[in-house]
Amino acid sequence: MNGWELAAALTLAGGLGATLWGVATGPLRRRVVAQNLSTALACPALLLLAQGYDRPSYVDLALVLALLGPVGTLVFARLLGDELAEDPPRAWGVTYVAAGVGAAVVLALCVATGPSRALVKLLAVGALLIGGNVIASRALSGGFRGVRRG
């Protein structure tokens, strides 16, 4: 086991525990935030495993997950909008931790990869991961100012 695989295992272990606890207990707002957290932490773990196993196809899987994970959260926010409006999630702490983990993993992998096409793909995954997580968390916590709900 190399360092990349160990980092992926620690990311998955920490994220899996928090996600399972959030999904299994508590109100609706905690379960929706846990769903968002699961995709936000699975993506960096896939990136670390791609580097550890030297499998570039895992980066493609992380790219798809970084794109579709926040979309799934936005679908939940739209469908469960009335229930979430009564007791909106306050997920900014979790959002910043997940975004920090994603940014740290992408930065470390960019340094390890060096200038190449793979670097561009890593930066795209990082932008989608961090941006999507922030947008999905904002949508869960009540939406954006100036946007009409209808």
Side-chain angles (χ1 to χ4, degrees):
M1 177 178 270
N2 61 30
W4 300 110
E5 295 168 7
L6 179 62
L10 292 174
T11 302
L12 281 175
L16 184 65
T19 301
L20 286 177
W21 176 77
V23 169
T25 64
L28 175 66
R29 66 185 181 137
R30 186 183 303 160
R31 293 191 301 260
V32 176
V33 169
Q35 182 271 334
N36 190 35
L37 178 66
S38 68
T39 58
L41 291 178
C43 189
L46 283 170
L47 291 173
L48 290 167
L49 288 174
Q51 184 71 22
Y53 292 143
D54 194 27
R55 303 251 185 200
S57 61
Y58 290 179
V59 176
D60 296 336
L61 184 58
L63 178 63
V64 171
L65 185 62
L67 183 63
L68 294 179
V71 171
T73 303
L74 291 174
V75 168
F76 280 127
R78 175 71 176 165
L79 293 175
L80 301 172
D82 294 335
E83 291 88 358
L84 291 173
E86 296 169 5
D87 190 19
R90 292 166 207 74
W92 288 109
V94 174
T95 299
Y96 292 140
V97 168
V101 168
V105 167
V106 169
L107 181 64
L109 291 173
C110 286
V111 169
T113 301
S116 65
R117 290 182 66 204
L119 177 70
V120 174
K121 192 184 285 188
L122 282 172
L123 291 174
V125 170
L128 285 171
L129 177 65
I130 295 167
N133 190 21
V134 169
I135 289 171
S137 292
R138 181 66 182 154
L140 286 175
S141 64
F144 296 93
R145 277 180 223 197
V147 176
R148 282 185 31 193
R149 290 196 146 186

